[in-house]
Amino acid sequence: MDSSVGTSSLTFAAVQRAGEVVAATLATTPLVSHPVLDRSVGRRLLVKHEHVLPTGSFKVRGGVHLAATLTDVERRVGLVTTSTGNHAQSVAFAARAAGVPATVVMPQCAPAVKRDAVEALGARVIVHGDGLGEAAAHARSLATEGGYIDPTDPRIILGHATAYLELFTQASGLGAVYVPIGSGTGAVGACVVRDALAPSCAVIGVQSSSAPAGWRSWLSGRIETAPAATRASGLATTSGYAATLATLWAGLADFLLVTDDEIDGAARLLATRAGTLAEGAGAAALAGVVAAAEPAADGDLPVADGELPVAVMCTGGNASADEIARLAAAA
């Protein structure tokens, strides 16, 4: 597949083909009910544990699909990309699998643990700029002969969509699926697969209020920018994305903003009620569920009989030392 192919290539049939590619390398991730978590939130939840994948994130799905669809030019010149961490690891994973070199430009705000992980996969890391915008511009300048892998490359989005191909095959009758949004690639995949397999299921996006560019873009229907001061590195985008906006605008039932403290609270619930260490972006979906719930008193909450379950995407487990320290400090 040519990387210049636009969003018209993001069809359910294309997701199914990507699913065959990804399934040849990655095992299906668990979709698990945690009754004690249900009582804490007051909803029937199913947690999709994407953090158990290699690289600790759902984004490796994009890397696996990318590795199988590289162009001749990309194989010749190698890959260049930019990311705060999980996309970077996925491209490094793809490059190693395909036997080509990779350079990843990461902003200064990227956690050290993610920089180390990218280097461990064999990629060269360049730290440049205060945010993703500056890092991306530098990465593009390095890829003068081609080989730049945009985080919203259609091949990446199709790989990410395979998480939802699994989800909607594993569970029927979902009322909603909550998806964290940075660039929006995962949520686009959720919308494409939902339309084909579960059209009555709501897809609800969740983003940090400290990095609301995607939310602002969704509200206005055009690309908006905003500062990214969030502690959740996987959500630290400063602009909406043209490759994902139209699908998100048409396909999301709602788009919620949550605070970084609410994300930390959701990470604490996952750790103490579901035995799951999630990074900020990985806990954001649960934070959205909690924020959307009725105000609650202290203690366990009743779970409504007959209410349709909702799925929560735990997209990543690459928690930084600071995130782990915040969990311990509030324990």
Side-chain angles (χ1 to χ4, degrees):
M1 182 187 300
D2 189 282
S3 61
S4 65
V5 175
T7 54
S8 61
S9 66
L10 304 177
T11 65
F12 180 63
V15 175
Q16 289 179 303
R17 291 192 293 272
E20 294 175 356
V21 172
V22 171
T25 298
L26 303 178
T28 299
T29 60
L31 183 67
V32 180
S33 170
H34 301 279
V36 68
L37 180 61
D38 293 357
R39 292 204 307 269
S40 296
V41 177
R43 292 294 304 267
R44 287 198 294 149
L45 303 177
L46 292 171
V47 180
K48 181 72 165 158
H49 288 278
E50 291 286 289
H51 68 289
V52 302
L53 288 169
T55 78
S57 167
F58 85 106
K59 289 195 172 181
V60 73
R61 295 175 178 275
V64 169
H65 189 240
L66 176 68
T69 54
L70 292 176
T71 66
D72 291 342
V73 170
E74 289 165 342
R75 291 183 180 278
R76 176 173 58 82
V77 302
L79 308 181
V80 180
T81 196
T82 186
S83 167
T84 55
N86 287 335
H87 168 70
Q89 289 185 69
S90 77
V91 171
F93 187 95
R96 187 174 70 171
V100 300
T103 298
V104 178
V105 182
M106 305 181 76
Q108 294 176 7
C109 63
V113 66
K114 293 187 177 181
R115 295 199 303 266
D116 292 345
V118 173
E119 290 179 333
L121 287 166
R124 179 171 70 118
V125 173
I126 298 173
V127 178
H128 182 90
D130 292 330
L132 272 175
E134 293 176 13
H138 187 61
R140 288 181 184 277
S141 74
L142 297 177
T144 53
E145 295 184 73
Y148 180 73
I149 304 300
D150 191 278
T152 58
D153 185 299
R155 298 167 295 178
I156 296 288
I157 299 176
L158 287 171
H160 294 172
T162 64
Y164 300 92
L165 188 62
E166 289 182 9
L167 170 66
F168 288 114
T169 301
Q170 290 168 307
S172 60
L174 292 173
V177 55
Y178 284 73
V179 184
I181 293 182
S183 63
T185 57
V188 164
C191 291
V192 171
V193 179
R194 180 276 314 276
D195 289 348
L197 297 183
S200 63
C201 178
V203 177
I204 299 173
V206 185
Q207 190 165 65
S208 170
S209 59
S210 295
W215 176 80
R216 290 185 182 180
S217 300
W218 181 76
L219 281 183
S220 70
R222 61 179 183 271
I223 299 301
E224 304 278 1
T225 61
T230 178
R231 298 190 297 261
S233 62
L235 304 179
T237 55
T238 56
S239 174
Y241 287 76
T244 59
L245 178 58
T247 302
L248 298 180
W249 190 82
L252 292 181
D254 203 354
F255 197 156
L256 307 177
L257 289 181
V258 293
T259 68
D260 279 5
D261 286 346
E262 288 173 325
I263 291 173
D264 282 350
R268 196 166 298 114
L269 282 175
L270 285 169
T272 60
R273 303 293 190 270
T276 298
L277 179 61
E279 63 184 280
L286 179 59
V289 174
V290 174
E294 293 294 326
D298 293 338
D300 289 343
L301 306 176
V303 179
D305 291 334
E307 190 173 45
L308 293 176
V310 300
V312 171
M313 303 301 291
C314 181
T315 53
N318 294 313
S320 68
D322 287 344
E323 287 173 314
I324 295 171
R326 288 198 300 274
L327 287 179

